[in-house]
Amino acid sequence: MESYQISDTETEEYKRILKETGYTALCEKLEEPINGWKKVQINIAVTGEPGTGKSSFINSIRGLKADDPGAAEVSLFETTMNLSGYPHPDNPNLRIWDLPYVGTLTFTRDNYLQKAALSQFDFFLLLSASRFKENDIWLAKEFLKLKPNFHFFFVRTKIDDDLRSSQKGRRKLQTAEDMHALQQEIKEWARLNLVKHGISNANIYLVDNYDTAAFDFGTMYSKLMQNVSRLEREAMIMATKEVVQTKLAFLKSRISLVSQTAAEAAVFATAVTNKYPAEIYVLLEECRLYRSQLGLNLNSLEIIAKRFEIDFEELLVNLSMTSYIYVDCEDGFANFYTRFGIIEPKIWHSLPLIGNMLKVKAHQKEGAFILKEFLDMCAKETHDLQMYMAKALEGSEF
């Protein structure tokens, strides 16, 4: 496992913080690289000509209705005169922006790329309620010139209106197969129109702004999640409860840096008055994060027990769960920690220049081993829990 190497400059900075402002400030500094994913902002731009349903679309992607607090204003007329950002209620890192459409008096083709500040966005969604028109094509081509590998989605809204319109004037009700064929025809027509204007391999999605379970809304949203940078993906994984294997891989990737943080705390936090050594608190919080992100925290387990109408204590016994014992309190985790031995002072730890580096290295190796052992324990418990639920749903005994 590759270790994060602390620089001499960082070492001196940690010493200064500890001396001048104390252990709490040092912990905050040490946690900055570990919890960077929490501060990552994901910006999604949404634009389209008036009548495409931008506000309704933005509300739907945020899980809101028009009369919910904080919802984008829904109007029959164009109301977007400036850039407006809306945070996702469940994930403050995710912000959806309502952009004015190109071709207005304020946002012309000459100034749009600059005034809309397009470089700040991670995704660009261009909405149309009919066909993608001249201004749509111009905007798409200009933006793809600016960012050739950008995540640009063409979203065909109000597809439900198209399907209803196709039924009018018919005596015979259209079948599900008829409706599906019409959807494919609309999507193919949009694709050919874009190809004709030099835009190939376009991401085209058909949506109903008021029914996110219909058409391509779910596929489109999943695509947004998949095409993000490394830190953005980490943020989305933590916020949206991605599949267990993806979470395990991410949590495992944290071990090196977290163990480095614990090691720095062990070496430099000499003035701590807590009951246990400083590194125990760093490792304890990380282990609690493992359980929380893998759905093993006691609140989640109580919900599962209630769902399958079994006794909560019986669930813990049946699954032979022990990880909760170690993170329930500081004493429990301290017992788990001491099972792996304590770093004994060595004579070379007092050597100038390299003494602290050797101590940090020893503590990091121990911390990494402890975190890996605990994560492996959580992974097994998660697997057992999944098997238990699967068998319970089948009506068989565990």
Side-chain angles (χ1 to χ4, degrees):
M1 182 182 298
E2 183 179 354
S3 298
Y4 170 82
Q5 297 298 321
I6 186 172
S7 67
D8 293 340
T9 302
E10 288 174 310
T11 300
E12 292 305 315
E13 175 69 1
Y14 293 157
K15 289 179 180 178
R16 182 192 64 78
I17 292 173
L18 182 62
K19 181 178 180 180
E20 295 179 4
T21 56
Y23 173 64
T24 300
L26 175 60
C27 281
E28 292 175 357
K29 180 69 175 178
L30 293 173
E31 288 173 357
E32 285 180 2
I34 298 174
N35 295 316
W37 65 270
K38 295 180 180 179
K39 300 178 182 179
V40 173
Q41 186 90 26
I42 301 170
N43 295 298
I44 299 175
V46 178
T47 194
E49 67 176 351
T52 55
K54 278 192 303 176
S55 296
S56 299
F57 178 85
I58 290 171
N59 288 335
S60 293
I61 210 171
R62 298 168 65 219
L64 300 178
K65 297 296 184 182
D67 54 354
D68 287 336
E73 180 183 357
V74 176
S75 172
L76 296 176
F77 309 100
E78 175 64 26
T79 59
T80 306
M81 300 301 172
N82 299 294
L83 278 69
S84 302
Y86 298 93
H88 194 286
D90 298 328
N91 179 9
N93 292 324
L94 179 61
R95 184 174 288 269
I96 298 94
W97 292 81
D98 185 355
L99 270 61
Y101 187 58
V102 64
T104 64
L105 292 176
T106 305
F107 287 80
T108 66
R109 287 191 181 186
D110 292 335
N111 65 23
Y112 190 86
L113 297 180
Q114 180 179 3
K115 291 194 71 170
L118 298 183
S119 61
Q120 69 175 303
F121 299 111
D122 303 292
F123 301 94
F124 196 96
L125 279 62
L126 180 60
L127 275 53
S128 174
S130 55
R131 62 182 179 85
F132 293 101
K133 301 177 182 177
E134 183 181 350
N135 276 335
D136 299 324
I137 301 295
W138 175 86
L139 179 57
K141 294 175 77 170
E142 289 298 314
F143 196 74
L144 290 172
K145 284 181 188 177
L146 182 66
K147 289 188 170 184
N149 299 318
F150 198 70
H151 309 296
F152 198 108
F153 293 2
F154 293 89
V155 182
R156 178 69 160 73
T157 61
K158 302 188 177 181
I159 190 65
D160 51 315
D161 290 344
D162 292 320
L163 297 183
R164 281 194 293 269
S165 296
S166 72
Q167 180 61 57
K168 292 179 179 180
R170 297 174 182 263
R171 296 184 184 278
K172 183 181 178 181
L173 288 176
Q174 291 179 296
T175 65
E177 290 76 12
D178 294 333
M179 294 295 192
H180 178 73
L182 180 57
Q183 292 173 47
Q184 295 306 112
E185 182 181 337
I186 293 172
K187 185 178 289 188
E188 179 64 10
W189 186 72
R191 186 189 69 81
L192 291 175
N193 183 45
L194 293 172
V195 169
K196 184 175 71 173
H197 290 89
I199 301 175
S200 58
N201 301 319
N203 294 305
I204 303 172
Y205 301 95
L206 312 182
V207 304
D208 174 358
N209 290 342
Y210 299 103
D211 186 357
T212 58
F215 310 113
D216 298 333
F217 201 104
T219 303
M220 177 203 64
Y221 192 77
S222 296
K223 196 72 173 179
L224 289 176
M225 302 258 186
Q226 294 168 5
N227 291 281
V228 292
S229 67
R230 179 181 61 85
L231 279 181
E232 290 168 329
R233 180 171 288 112
E234 291 172 0
M236 296 293 272
I237 287 172
M238 287 298 190
T240 59
K241 300 184 183 298
E242 289 286 342
V243 294
V244 170
Q245 288 303 316
T246 305
K247 282 192 174 184
L248 283 171
F250 171 59
L251 294 173
K252 185 176 181 181
S253 73
R254 291 170 55 93
I255 289 178
S256 178
L257 192 53
V258 175
S259 60
Q260 178 74 34
T261 299
E264 293 294 332
V267 173
F268 295 117
T270 55
V272 174
T273 58
N274 290 326
K275 183 177 181 180
Y276 294 107
E279 66 270 23
I280 284 184
Y281 296 93
V282 177
L283 298 174
L284 172 58
E285 286 307 305
E286 182 69 4
C287 290
R288 284 173 172 167
L289 176 67
Y290 293 169
R291 284 179 47 79
S292 174
Q293 288 301 315
L294 293 173
L296 295 172
N297 56 303
L298 296 185
N299 286 339
S300 297
L301 294 176
E302 286 177 351
I303 292 173
I304 292 171
K306 183 178 295 185
R307 164 65 179 80
F308 293 107
E309 298 181 347
I310 60 175
D311 181 75
F312 177 61
E313 295 297 332
E314 180 184 339
L315 175 66
L316 299 179
V317 172
N318 285 343
L319 296 177
S320 301
M321 286 191 169
T322 56
S323 64
Y324 73 94
I325 298 173
Y326 302 125
V327 298
D328 185 50
C329 64
E330 297 169 1
D331 293 341
F333 189 77
N335 290 332
F336 178 76
Y337 177 82
T338 55
R339 286 170 46 186
F340 302 97
I342 303 298
I343 300 298
E344 297 293 338
K346 307 292 183 182
I347 189 170
W348 50 81
H349 288 168
S350 60
L351 294 175
L353 300 180
I354 66 170
N356 281 342
M357 182 184 69
L358 293 173
K359 284 192 288 185
V360 167
K361 185 175 180 180
H363 279 284
Q364 181 176 13
K365 182 177 179 180
E366 178 188 59
F369 182 80
I370 291 172
L371 291 177
K372 184 179 182 304
E373 287 290 306
F374 193 85
L375 183 57
D376 288 345
M377 184 190 308
C378 291
K380 181 181 183 304
E381 291 181 359
T382 300
H383 175 267
D384 291 345
L385 179 60
Q386 289 177 321
M387 293 298 294
Y388 181 88
M389 289 189 291
K391 290 181 181 295
L393 288 171
E394 294 170 0
S396 60
E397 294 295 328
F398 181 72

